[in-house]
Amino acid sequence: MKIHVEDIQGIVGIVPTPATVDAEKWQTNNSVNLDETGRMTRLVVDAGIDVLMCAGTFGEGATLTEPELVDFTRAVAEANAKARPFFAGITTLNTRDTIRRGRDLIDAGADGLFIGRPMWLAMSDKDILRFYRDIAEALPGIPIVVYDNPVAFKGKISGEVYDELAKIPEMVAAKHVGGPALLEDMARVGNDLRILPLATAWLAAAKVHPELCKACWSGSVACAPAPHVALARAILQGDLQAAEAISSKLVWAEQPMFSGGDLASFMDFSIPIAHLRHKAAGLIEPGPTRPPYIDIPASYSQGALETGRRWAQLQHEFGADHQMSAAK
């Protein structure tokens, strides 16, 4: 599947990695629940999520062994059956492992790659650009989504680096955490690179750059795909009144999981938060977290569970609306 920037439209759904019941133990060799992975993938694809990604932060790219990541990627690819573009996550601690793992995941059925830069040490603009150029040179023609998370990767990708990334044909999109730089980065790269805001920030960005802001990302599509699909339909059809109402409900659903009030505090516990919110939402069985990221303060666990319950409410509301529309 050849993927271009213009193919990245709608909801880019980042899915979790369902775990076996013994995943919390260090002795476990195969912690991925492959049956649940297939069921989850079919669920979000059938619901209308437009693009699939996996193995970022809450998807536990850092806690999966390499064989587990390959098996998980293969299971998603087989269940997806080329219905949607699928980008597999491969962040590692160095360039050569990223390239080798990228080849393995493409062989396992991924259409493209979702890549964060090495984060043991902070990287200069020059090194960040060299890293992504090396990946593109080693994997020519493989579409890449850049992972831009200032907390995880010890700094934000600068506007100057975005200028150069947009010139690399393999770079088709960037997962952006938002903030003051979102609109500026979007304007800089234009339609040469799809800058992806968080779903809750999509409408505001689309009002400013409707010709550029054609897609967003969400890590909650396996909690509630229906309201995400409804938001995408409203924004892409230009129905801003409907989009306002839906977007406010997404903000309401996500609010409880940020009990610390900022992204840096949330990121420390994003893996167990994701497991709890997906469990409470009730569509999939996420299983336990994998070591070493297991502990979570009570305030965050309560917020995660409430977020999951809110997503379940919205899934019921928008799922019923979708079924009625389909019947008509």
Side-chain angles (χ1 to χ4, degrees), residues 14-72:
I14 309 174
V15 295
T17 307
T20 57
V21 295
D22 59 349
E24 209 170 37
K25 300 177 181 178
W26 68 262
Q27 297 94 334
T28 300
N29 289 321
N30 299 296
S31 73
V32 180
N33 185 335
L34 296 175
D35 289 340
E36 187 67 1
T37 295
R39 192 180 75 85
M40 172 189 70
T41 302
R42 290 186 291 272
L43 185 154
V44 298
V45 167
D46 290 347
I49 297 303
D50 301 285
V51 179
L52 299 177
M53 290 205 306
C54 71
T57 303
F58 81 85
E60 295 183 86
T63 64
L64 296 171
T65 65
E66 191 162 341
E68 287 175 334
L69 181 58
V70 171
D71 288 346
F72 174 64

Side-chain angles (χ1 to χ4, degrees), residues 299-321:
S299 60
Y300 275 105
S301 63
Q302 292 164 6
L305 291 169
E306 176 59 20
T307 291
R309 289 189 287 266
R310 291 184 182 192
W311 278 127
Q313 182 177 328
L314 294 185
Q315 177 64 20
H316 177 75
E317 175 185 344
F318 285 91
D321 288 347

Side-chain angles (χ1 to χ4, degrees), residues 192-251:
D192 293 325
L193 184 71
R194 184 75 74 211
I195 299 291
L196 303 170
L198 181 61
T200 51
W202 186 11
L203 177 60
K207 287 179 178 179
V208 179
H209 293 302
E211 75 287 0
L212 303 177
C213 199
K214 299 291 188 181
C216 74
W217 68 270
S218 174
S220 296
V221 295
C223 291
H228 289 89
V229 172
L231 177 66
R233 184 185 302 118
I235 290 178
L236 294 178
Q237 291 178 355
D239 188 347
L240 297 187
Q241 183 176 356
E244 288 277 7
I246 300 166
S247 185
S248 67
K249 292 184 178 185
L250 267 63
V251 172

Side-chain angles (χ1 to χ4, degrees), residues 49-285:
I49 297 303
D50 301 285
V51 179
L52 299 177
M53 290 205 306
C54 71
T57 303
F58 81 85
E60 295 183 86
T63 64
L64 296 171
T65 65
E66 191 162 341
E68 287 175 334
L69 181 58
V70 171
D71 288 346
F72 174 64
T73 299
R74 184 175 293 110
V76 173
E78 290 177 353
N80 178 47
K82 301 296 182 183
R84 303 287 188 271
F86 167 41
F87 293 83
I90 58 161
T91 301
T92 79
L93 290 178
N94 63 79
T95 299
R96 291 176 297 168
D97 274 337
T98 302
I99 291 168
R100 178 178 52 80
R101 188 171 294 190
R103 289 174 176 147
D104 289 344
L105 298 190
I106 293 299
D107 288 345
D111 302 302
L113 302 171
F114 173 37
I115 306 178
R117 61 192 186 270
M119 76 289 282
W120 194 305
L121 303 177
M123 293 171 63
S124 68
D125 281 4
K126 185 177 180 180
D127 280 343
I128 293 171
L129 188 55
R130 166 73 181 269
F131 170 74
Y132 282 109
R133 282 174 171 164
D134 284 348
I135 303 301
E137 180 181 355
L139 302 171
I142 301 300
I144 292 169
V145 175
V146 176
Y147 190 178
D148 186 4
N149 185 319
V151 178
F153 301 113
K154 293 186 170 68
K156 165 123 182 23
I157 294 177
S158 70
E160 291 74 19
V161 171
Y162 268 122
D163 289 341
E164 298 304 314
L165 290 177
K167 299 174 184 177
I168 302 172
E170 285 77 11
M171 307 296 153
V172 297
K175 176 182 178 282
H176 204 288
V177 297
L182 174 63
L183 296 178
E184 179 183 341
D185 290 340
M186 199 172 287
R188 294 184 79 117
V189 301
N191 280 311
D192 293 325
L193 184 71
R194 184 75 74 211
I195 299 291
L196 303 170
L198 181 61
T200 51
W202 186 11
L203 177 60
K207 287 179 178 179
V208 179
H209 293 302
E211 75 287 0
L212 303 177
C213 199
K214 299 291 188 181
C216 74
W217 68 270
S218 174
S220 296
V221 295
C223 291
H228 289 89
V229 172
L231 177 66
R233 184 185 302 118
I235 290 178
L236 294 178
Q237 291 178 355
D239 188 347
L240 297 187
Q241 183 176 356
E244 288 277 7
I246 300 166
S247 185
S248 67
K249 292 184 178 185
L250 267 63
V251 172
W252 169 78
E254 298 269 76
Q255 186 274 329
M257 69 181 183
F258 292 98
S259 65
D262 63 10
L263 179 63
S265 299
F266 166 82
M267 283 290 293
D268 288 340
F269 307 104
S270 62
I271 292 174
I273 285 171
H275 279 255
L276 288 174
R277 77 170 186 262
H278 281 91
K279 179 72 173 179
L283 286 187
I284 69 163
E285 175 49 66

